[in-house]
Amino acid sequence: MVVQRTSVGLDVHARSVVASALDGVTGEITERRLTPAYEDVAAWIESLPGPVKATYEAGPTGFGLARFLTGRGLDVQVAAPSKLMRPSGDRVKTDVRDARHLARLLHAGQIVAVTIPDAATEAARDLVRAREDARGDLMSARHRVAKLLLRQGIVWSGGKAWTGIHDRWLRAQRFESVPLQLAYDTAYDTMLAAVARRDRLDEAIADLAADSTFTPLVHRLGCLRGVSTLTGFGLAVEIGDWRRFTGRSIGAYLGLVPTESSSGATRSQGGITKTGNGHARRLLIEAAWHHRPAYRAPGMDLRRRWKAASPAAVDRGRRANRRLAARWAHFDARGKRSTVANAAIARELAGWCWSLAILED
């Protein structure tokens, strides 16, 4: 039984699309350089002998082409670049060869596809990643302010930094040198702009998390310590369809499992693989640290999040919080290095998040 007669590989760029079609019956290869207009790509694919199946690599051009072709009734897969098999001796890389390679892999059934998000999910994901960028920009801006002062021998010692008291201290700094004062004012204004941008994005994410298709999922994930609205919403939009995983496989998807190099009777494990979605992995790593303190009475924020979730989700969240706190205590008692222990907690936390995500309210 022929699944598809023609397998199409697309090497998609911002200003061009190179297409290669492999006819599974005749073995004929047809290649064409197309414009990046979705209509042109769809028209050429539709002119090929059917059934037709197409694929292209996930990348900076996004999923718009895949959604458009799917809307035209075409079978499209977006390939995971890290899973594409390529001979180690193949050192010649061109657009045509890449498209031809994709067509052959698709014909052989060797494409590992990524999930294609709908437009709303992708927009929410862009919002979350914009907030991540703003967080990084703010860290850099604060670093520049602090190091400029340090070069002048001025160091804050009045308690925790980046608080209201610290901000008043920063505003009071004055220098006799006009160029130095201008440099400091510019760095400080840049930091304030970064704070305002981060806060504006925080408000937008909170509004979307409170009234969107992700709201029930965010409420369930919020039953866990360390998973606030921002973290829960970030995990929801980054992972998307949780049901494609299991409690064991989600840790591997997020790069939270150890690397391994084993042969024969020798088994060697190293640090975590750090593959997959880096943003979701960072959120889980940060959330895992919240489970290190002993779990006693839940705090005010956690109780507030529990009120928005179902009783079943709250019960599962309680069990997860007790379990993870006990695991932390076990690692500490063994003298386990804290960063290694936290990675293990984050891996188990990913499984608990999956359990809550697929939980029916």
Side-chain angles (χ1 to χ4, degrees):
M1 179 179 178
V2 178
V3 178
Q4 76 262 3
R5 173 173 175 174
T6 305
S7 302
V8 178
L10 302 171
D11 193 54
V12 181
H13 297 279
R15 294 180 176 85
S16 67
V17 175
V18 176
S20 179
L22 171 62
D23 191 319
V25 176
T26 65
E28 180 183 1
I29 296 178
T30 305
E31 294 170 342
R32 185 74 58 86
R33 183 174 291 273
L34 306 167
T35 69
Y38 295 168
E39 294 81 0
D40 292 349
V41 178
W44 185 77
I45 294 176
E46 290 170 345
S47 68
L48 300 171
V52 181
K53 194 170 186 178
T55 187
Y56 68 92
E57 290 186 52
T61 55
F63 299 97
L65 176 59
R67 287 195 291 266
F68 180 83
L69 296 177
T70 302
R72 293 278 286 259
L74 297 171
D75 191 355
V76 183
Q77 288 185 344
V78 178
S82 61
K83 299 292 185 179
L84 292 177
M85 296 186 300
R86 187 179 294 276
S88 60
D90 188 358
R91 302 299 179 88
V92 180
K93 186 179 185 303
T94 65
D95 293 348
V96 173
R97 289 171 68 92
D98 285 348
R100 193 180 301 163
H101 183 63
L102 285 171
R104 288 170 175 163
L105 289 178
L106 181 62
H107 177 71
Q110 297 297 317
I111 293 293
V112 179
V114 301
T115 300
I116 301 173
D118 56 38
T121 300
E122 190 170 18
R125 190 176 295 173
D126 287 338
L127 178 63
V128 168
R129 292 178 181 180
R131 201 272 178 188
E132 180 78 356
D133 292 339
R135 184 190 70 89
D137 293 343
L138 177 58
M139 290 178 62
S140 298
R142 286 175 168 174
H143 183 84
R144 285 192 289 269
V145 170
K147 295 305 177 281
L148 189 150
L149 293 175
L150 179 60
R151 289 195 296 273
Q152 308 306 315
I154 302 173
V155 180
W156 166 253
S157 59
K160 188 175 180 180
W162 314 117
T163 60
I165 298 175
H166 183 223
D167 186 65
R168 288 193 292 272
W169 178 80
L170 291 173
R171 291 176 183 271
Q173 299 303 314
R174 293 292 181 268
F175 304 96
E176 294 181 0
S177 172
V178 175
L180 179 59
Q181 185 65 50
L182 180 58
Y184 177 75
D185 290 343
T186 301
Y188 181 73
D189 289 344
T190 301
M191 185 195 69
L192 292 181
V195 171
R197 182 156 55 97
R198 183 204 60 184
D199 293 344
R200 187 164 61 251
L201 290 169
D202 284 352
E203 292 177 4
I205 291 174
D207 292 341
L208 192 58
D211 185 19
S212 68
T213 57
F214 304 104
T215 302
L217 175 55
V218 173
H219 288 166
R220 293 197 296 273
L221 294 177
C223 295
L224 297 166
R225 286 202 297 176
V227 184
S228 62
T229 299
L230 292 177
T231 301
F233 188 81
L235 291 172
V237 301
E238 289 290 348
I239 295 179
D241 182 12
W242 293 73
R243 295 188 180 277
R244 58 198 169 110
F245 303 108
T246 65
R248 294 176 64 88
S249 66
I250 192 169
Y253 168 75
L254 295 172
L256 290 169
V257 297
T259 57
E260 183 172 343
S261 179
S262 300
S263 179
T266 304
R267 183 169 184 259
S268 176
Q269 288 186 310
I272 58 175
T273 60
K274 295 186 179 180
T275 58
N277 193 304
H279 183 206
R281 181 172 61 254
R282 185 190 68 79
L283 292 175
L284 287 167
I285 289 289
E286 288 189 353
W289 288 109
H290 290 261
H291 292 272
R292 193 173 193 179
Y295 180 64
R296 298 184 179 91
M300 183 183 302
D301 289 340
L302 184 58
R303 291 199 304 270
R304 176 181 51 80
R305 298 201 300 268
W306 280 357
K307 291 179 181 179
S310 66
V314 173
D315 177 67
R316 189 163 298 182
R318 282 198 183 101
R319 287 189 283 126
N321 293 332
R322 285 194 294 267
R323 159 77 180 179
L324 294 174
R327 290 282 289 164
W328 253 120
H330 175 69
F331 286 135
D332 285 338
R334 289 174 52 193
K336 195 77 170 177
R337 191 152 52 102
S338 60
T339 52
V340 175
N342 192 68
I345 297 297
R347 180 167 60 250
E348 187 165 340
L349 177 60
W352 282 106
C353 288
W354 170 85
S355 174
L356 284 164
I358 66 169
L359 181 66
E360 297 292 340
D361 289 330

